[in-house]
């Protein structure tokens, strides 16, 4: 018979064995299980990450697809510019049809008794742009309406709607200027100066026409490098810029050139625009102004370029003031602009600058002779 003591010793041995063997067995069993669990967790994480990545990619593609094209943005930008001009607050001209722009459209529609949709019908957009472009072409008359109509410049829309033609032509007869209506193409088509009876206008004509041709050629070359905008888009953008230059242009005919240039420099600083970018914009818009006979745009662009450390462009303002093209005529004031253009190191070392230097040399010779009329008095004497 086994004693209790032996039994107790046997139980102790078994206990030691269990304590030693069971953890090893458990470890052997749980090792693959733990690995399988980790693999499953990793697989699930990868699956969910893939789904999240795919969802993000779909959202990005949807955003890209829903974003308007450059042409559409340019068209909306033109509408925003026109709405803002007529004091319907469309907000920043960003080319995006946001809520503020839709609200401005509704205000425009309400003012002219159009259906309130927040979206411009074709005829509504056409009338808005016709009115805006007509106001830019005839800025003096537009300003007169703004000063006298109870609704300000907005009242121009009512005036035009009451007498608007059935098919908008882009030119508003009631807004044609009453002063000098010569435009660049007509002026440059005049016969060249007579050798017997030249005048100041005839002396300056070939120089001015050469300058406008150079400006248009430079504008075309720069515009060709602009991506995402058609020539029509660029022209519309420049025309939309013209109203901002109104105060600069207005000062050209009644203030010395140096004062006007200083004012233009302050204007550029207020815009916050990078000077290099502003220079490129002004060079493009200068040519657009001459191509479209938008003389306010051309004059304003030339003054901006003069203020942007390119004084040779003062030549353009000088021609306009001397000839009374698009601005009041004042030959004496014109001389101050020509003097700015002729100052030392004013001409840039480029093809454009070299052409300007040739024109300015011819101009300086004419000015030194007393303005052409006095210089043409015959030099021979007659004995009686």
């Amino acid at each position: 018979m086994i004693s209790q003591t032996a039994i107790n010793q046997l139980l102790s041995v078994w206990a030691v064995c269990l304590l030693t063997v069971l953890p090893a067995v458990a470890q052997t069993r749980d090792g693959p299980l733990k690995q399988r669990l980790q693999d499953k967790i990793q697989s699930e994480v990868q699956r969910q990450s893939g789904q999240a990545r795919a969802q993000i990619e779909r959202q990005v593609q949807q955003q890209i697809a829903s974003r308007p094209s450059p042409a559409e943005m340019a068209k909306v930008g033109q509408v925003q510019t026109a709405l803002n001009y007529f004091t319907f607050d469309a907000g920043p001209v960003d080319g995006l049809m946001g809520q503020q722009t839709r609200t401005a459209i509704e205000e425009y529609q309400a003012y002219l008794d159009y259906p309130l949709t927040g979206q411009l019908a074709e005829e509504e957009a056409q009338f808005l742009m016709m009115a805006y472009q007509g106001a830019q072409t005839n800025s003096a008359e537009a300003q007169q309406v703004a000063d006298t109509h109870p609704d300000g410049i907005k009242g121009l829309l009512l005036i035009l709607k009451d007498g608007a033609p059935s098919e908008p032509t882009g030119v508003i007869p009631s807004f044609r200027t009453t002063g000098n209506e010569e435009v660049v193409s007509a002026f440059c088509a005049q016969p060249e100066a007579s050798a017997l009876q030249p005048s100041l206008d005839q002396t300056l004509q070939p120089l001015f026409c050469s300058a406008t041709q150079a400006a248009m050629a430079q504008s075309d070359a720069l515009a060709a490098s602009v991506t995402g905008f058609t020539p029509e888009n660029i022209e519309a953008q420049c025309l939309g810029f013209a109203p901002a230059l109104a105060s600069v242009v207005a000062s050209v005919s009644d203030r010395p050139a140096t004062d006007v240039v200083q004012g233009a420099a302050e204007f550029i600083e207020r815009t916050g625009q990078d000077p290099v970018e502003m220079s490129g914009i002004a060079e493009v818009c200068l040519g657009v102004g001459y191509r479209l006979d938008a003389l306010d745009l051309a004059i304003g662009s030339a003054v901006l370029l003069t203020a942007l450390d390119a004084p040779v462009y003062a030549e353009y303002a000088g021609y306009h003031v001397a000839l009374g093209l698009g601005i009041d005529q004042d030959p004496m004031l014109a001389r101050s602009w020509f003097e700015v253009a002729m100052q030392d190191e004013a001409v840039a070392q480029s093809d454009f600058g070299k052409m300007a230097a040739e024109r300015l040399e011819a101009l300086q010779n004419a000015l030194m002779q007393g303005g052409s009329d006095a210089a043409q008095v015959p030099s021979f004497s007659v004995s009686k």
Side-chain angles (χ1 to χ4, degrees):
M1 189 173 190
I2 301 175
S3 65
Q4 185 64 41
T5 301
I7 293 173
N8 291 340
Q9 290 177 345
L10 183 59
L11 291 173
S12 297
V13 172
W14 285 354
V16 171
C17 289
L18 288 172
L19 292 174
T20 302
V21 174
L22 289 178
V25 173
Q27 184 175 4
T28 301
R29 185 188 67 225
D30 293 345
L33 179 61
K34 183 177 180 180
Q35 184 62 45
R36 287 197 301 272
L37 182 59
Q38 289 176 343
D39 291 345
K40 186 173 183 180
I41 291 173
Q42 185 175 2
S43 176
E44 182 64 19
V45 169
Q46 291 176 346
R47 185 183 68 81
Q48 293 185 9
S49 296
Q51 290 178 345
R53 185 163 50 249
Q55 183 178 1
I56 292 173
E57 290 176 353
R58 284 195 301 271
Q59 291 175 347
V60 170
Q61 292 298 327
Q62 289 172 356
Q63 290 176 357
I64 293 174
S66 63
R67 185 172 180 82
S69 67
E72 292 171 336
M73 292 182 67
K75 187 174 182 179
V76 173
Q78 295 169 26
V79 169
Q80 290 171 327
T81 298
L83 288 169
N84 286 335
Y85 175 78
F86 288 114
T87 69
F88 301 107
D89 186 8
V93 179
D94 55 12
L96 300 177
M97 184 59 73
Q99 184 56 51
Q100 188 170 0
T101 301
R102 291 190 182 92
T103 300
I105 290 174
E106 289 181 352
E107 293 175 355
Y108 163 74
Q109 291 172 328
Y111 189 71
L112 295 180
D113 292 327
Y114 292 135
L116 300 181
T117 63
Q119 296 181 342
L120 287 175
E122 182 63 29
E123 62 274 12
E124 296 169 1
Q126 194 174 33
F127 176 75
L128 174 65
M129 298 312 300
M130 179 195 70
Y132 173 71
Q133 292 171 6
Q136 304 317 299
T137 303
N138 303 278
S139 58
E141 284 69 24
Q143 186 60 49
Q144 183 177 5
V145 172
D147 293 339
T148 58
H149 196 281
D151 294 341
I153 191 62
K154 189 185 301 184
L156 173 60
L157 295 169
L158 295 179
I159 295 173
L160 296 178
K161 188 182 180 185
D162 290 342
S166 57
E167 294 185 2
T169 62
V171 178
I172 306 170
S174 63
F175 262 69
R176 299 187 68 84
T177 56
T178 56
N180 187 348
E181 295 184 359
E182 290 276 18
V183 292
V184 173
S185 56
F187 179 77
C188 292
Q190 293 176 3
E192 294 185 1
S194 165
L196 296 177
Q197 293 181 321
S199 66
L200 177 61
D201 285 12
Q202 291 173 318
T203 301
L204 295 180
Q205 180 197 21
L207 302 178
F208 171 69
C209 297
S210 172
T212 60
Q213 290 296 323
M216 287 187 282
Q218 178 177 245
S219 174
D220 289 341
L222 290 172
S225 67
V226 177
T227 58
F229 292 88
T230 66
E232 292 76 17
N233 296 151
I234 292 173
E235 289 179 355
Q237 292 277 339
C238 286
L239 290 174
F241 183 45
L245 302 175
S247 60
V248 173
V249 176
S251 64
V252 171
S253 61
D254 58 14
R255 293 172 57 189
T258 53
D259 291 350
V260 179
V261 171
Q262 178 60 38
E266 294 171 356
F267 167 82
I268 295 169
E269 185 176 355
R270 288 195 301 271
T271 67
Q273 186 79 21
D274 178 75
V276 175
E277 293 181 0
M278 179 65 84
S279 179
I281 291 170
E283 287 175 346
V284 171
C285 290
L286 176 65
V288 170
Y290 286 126
R291 185 179 303 104
L292 301 182
D293 285 325
L295 299 189
D296 282 358
L297 175 62
I299 296 169
S301 297
V303 175
L304 289 188
L305 287 165
T306 305
L308 286 164
D309 295 327
V312 67
Y313 285 94
E315 167 192 14
Y316 290 91
Y319 290 131
H320 285 278
V321 178
L323 298 169
L325 285 172
I327 204 165
D328 292 340
Q329 187 174 24
D330 189 335
M332 292 303 296
L333 192 59
R335 184 182 289 267
S336 72
W337 285 99
F338 291 134
E339 289 173 351
V340 171
M342 294 173 188
Q343 63 185 275
D344 293 340
E345 300 180 357
V347 180
Q349 297 302 313
S350 64
D351 291 340
F352 180 86
K354 292 174 184 177
M355 289 187 289
E358 294 175 0
R359 291 193 301 270
L360 292 173
E361 183 178 1
L363 176 62
Q364 188 172 30
N365 292 335
L367 293 175
M368 290 177 64
Q369 292 174 4
S372 75
D373 287 341
Q376 300 306 319
V377 177
S379 58
F380 59 85
S381 59
V382 178
S383 298
K384 291 186 178 180

